[in-house]
Every structure is written in structure tokens, then in C-alpha cells.
Amino acid sequence: MTPEPLAVYVLKVSVAALVLVICAGLTWLSWLLGDRLRVKRWEVSKAINSVGQVWQALYIAIVLVALYPFQCYSHPNSESSVRAFSEVVCGSEDHKVMVGFAIVFTLLYGVGFFAVCLWANIVAPMRAAVSSQFSVCFRFLFYRFRVQNWYWGSVLMLRSVLIALVPIVSPDSGKAQLVMFLTVATICLVLQSSTLPWKSYLLNHL
């Protein structure tokens, strides 16, 4: 494999990790040099919230990119290529290398981050009442929604995962992809209309 497809893929999918590294580095520097530079030290809980905010905003985009190697479209000669990197033939040794990276990134970011957020939503009613640090760390999950709909952040993330899986389930059928996408979007729209989870009136009715 020429380095371009793999390098481009790894670069795109590493954006989320880069945000984590930068934020962690700046937090560490603020503690190391804060007194000397007369700069306020960054609170770890707020730094975690900032990373979570960015990760959640980029979640569907990063999951879509992480799953690129599984999106293979068919050729007339019965072979198939990765949709985002047509020079990479699916099933080849080069493709297997890319799939290995895809599995790691999907487990760490797609599954791992979702699992952490789901855990936070499950324990939130108990932990938020006794730990202010918990509320600050996971503020990005709750602050946009009404109190009784604190869990809606995980619903949106699940929607993002399902949408990201659409091109994999039926890579050669645009009609099937459209039906699956509309099904997911319609179910989420019905749930939103029945629960009105957002604090903003406009977001609940758009």
C-alpha cells in the first residue's frame, strides 16, 4: 500500500485523540507553570468536560471515518474497493491493515466513548446529587436538556451510531440506505416530539 490512503485515514480518525492530547497537555502546563506565569490552573473536571463537548460534537463524523474500511462497493469484476479510498481493494493485505486500525479506533472512540457517556447517564441521578465534580465532568451530556430528559445525550449518540452503520449494511444500494436513514431519523423525531427533551423551544419543534 502506498502510504497515502492509510496516512490520510489515520490522520482523519485521530482528530479526536489530538483534542484529548492538546487539552491534557495544556492542563498539565497550567499546573506546572501556573504559579510562575500567574495563570490560573485549569480544573481537571472542566478540562474533561471540554474534551467531552468536542468529542460529542464530532462523534458522528469520527465514527463515520473510523468505519471507512468496512464500506466496500462492488466492481463489475466481482471485486470491491473501499468507498473512500478506491485504490484499496477490499480483502487485500493492504485493506486488512486498514481494518486493523478501524477496529482499534472504533472500539476506543465509537464504543468506548459511548459506553462512558451511557454509564454517566445511568448513574447521573445518584452521582450528581452527591458529587459536584461528576456534574462538571459530564456537563456536556446534560446542560442542553430538561432535567427529566437528562438521558437524551445518549439517545443522540445512539442515533449517530445507527446512521454511521447505514453505508456498511447496504453499501451498493442507495435506495436501501435512504430507507434505513429515514427510518432512524423518523424514530428519533417521533421520540423527540413525544418527550420534548431540549431546553430550547425551537429545538424541540424543528
Side-chain angles (χ1 to χ4, degrees):
M1 177 191 290
T2 57
E4 287 79 11
L6 182 59
V8 171
Y9 170 72
V10 173
L11 181 62
K12 287 183 177 180
V13 83
S14 298
V15 171
L18 182 61
V19 172
L20 175 61
V21 171
I22 291 175
C23 195
L26 290 176
T27 302
W28 178 74
L29 286 175
S30 74
W31 281 80
L32 181 65
L33 304 175
D35 293 338
R36 296 179 184 177
L37 300 178
R38 297 181 180 179
V39 176
K40 184 179 179 181
R41 292 177 176 178
W42 287 22
E43 296 180 30
V44 176
S45 57
K46 291 184 178 180
I48 293 173
N49 175 68
S50 298
V51 173
Q53 182 71 61
V54 176
W55 277 25
Q56 190 178 46
L58 297 176
Y59 188 69
I60 187 170
I62 299 298
V63 172
L64 279 169
V65 172
L67 294 175
Y68 272 171
F70 301 105
Q71 300 176 22
C72 296
Y73 67 95
S74 301
H75 295 300
N77 63 356
S78 74
E79 291 187 343
S80 57
S81 296
V82 177
R83 185 171 299 278
F85 306 101
S86 57
E87 63 270 42
V88 180
V89 177
C90 294
S92 65
E93 292 300 319
D94 296 337
H95 179 242
K96 292 177 181 178
V97 175
M98 191 174 285
V99 167
F101 280 99
I103 293 174
V104 172
F105 285 124
T106 301
L107 289 177
L108 290 179
Y109 183 72
V111 178
F113 182 55
F114 177 72
V116 170
C117 291
L118 182 61
W119 168 82
N121 270 315
I122 291 173
V123 303
M126 296 177 293
R127 294 293 297 273
V130 298
S131 173
S132 60
Q133 293 296 313
F134 176 87
S135 299
V136 175
C137 286
F138 293 100
R139 183 177 181 273
F140 68 92
L141 272 179
F142 313 125
Y143 79 99
R144 294 170 295 170
F145 310 112
R146 298 191 299 168
V147 175
Q148 61 269 37
N149 303 109
W150 81 93
Y151 55 83
W152 198 253
S154 291
V155 175
L156 294 180
M157 294 180 69
L158 178 59
R159 181 192 66 179
S160 297
V161 171
L162 294 176
I163 291 175
L165 290 174
V166 167
I168 299 175
V169 175
S170 185
D172 294 322
S173 176
K175 293 181 179 179
Q177 292 182 26
L178 179 61
V179 170
M180 288 185 285
F181 173 81
L182 290 177
T183 299
V184 173
T186 301
I187 292 174
C188 289
L189 183 60
V190 171
L191 290 175
Q192 177 174 303
S193 299
S194 60
T195 58
L196 302 178
W198 300 89
K199 289 181 179 178
S200 169
Y201 175 85
L202 289 177
L203 290 176
N204 280 324
H205 294 87
L206 285 178

